[in-house]
């Protein structure tokens, strides 16, 4: 099975990748709360819903990709 590592993070070590994930998780938590607050206030500010939802999706998608890359790096390290 071919394992692909994202070239944008290829130069990062495992510890650096874990730190990046940790920082993004913190930001993602705030984005999730912002989305929740916006949803609770609907229909007020409904115009912002798609933008906030898209940003929230993007950050969680990025975290998911980084976690997958971390797994690959850790597996390659143990080989």
């Amino acid at each position: 099975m071919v394992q692909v590592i994202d070239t944008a993070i290829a130069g990062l070590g495992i510890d650096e990748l874990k730190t990046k994930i940790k920082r993004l998780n913190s930001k993602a938590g705030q984005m999730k709360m912002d989305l929740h607050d916006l949803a609770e206030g609907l229909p007020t500010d409904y115009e912002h819903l798609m933008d906030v939802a898209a940003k929230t999706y993007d950050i969680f998608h990025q975290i998911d990709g980084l976690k997958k890359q971390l797994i690959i790096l850790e597996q390659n390290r143990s080989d």
Side-chain angles (χ1 to χ4, degrees):
M1 178 171 142
V2 177
Q3 295 177 337
V4 179
I5 296 179
D6 186 344
T7 55
I9 60 165
L12 296 180
I14 290 175
D15 290 336
E16 293 165 319
L17 194 52
K18 286 180 180 179
T19 300
K20 186 171 180 77
I21 291 169
K22 192 175 197 178
R23 286 185 186 143
L24 284 175
N25 270 327
S26 176
K27 187 175 179 180
Q30 181 60 51
M31 297 286 299
K32 185 170 69 170
M33 287 190 300
D34 291 348
L35 182 60
H36 178 267
D37 291 346
L38 181 61
E40 278 190 338
L42 289 173
T44 304
D45 292 330
Y46 75 91
E47 312 85 16
H48 303 289
L49 183 59
M50 293 302 290
D51 184 48
V52 174
K55 288 178 181 178
T56 304
Y57 171 86
D58 289 342
I59 197 163
F60 278 98
H61 181 73
Q62 186 178 1
I63 291 168
D64 183 56
L66 290 174
K67 286 180 177 181
K68 288 176 181 174
Q69 296 297 326
L70 179 60
I71 290 169
I72 291 169
L73 288 176
E74 289 176 334
Q75 287 174 348
N76 288 340
R77 182 171 146 184
S78 64
D79 290 343

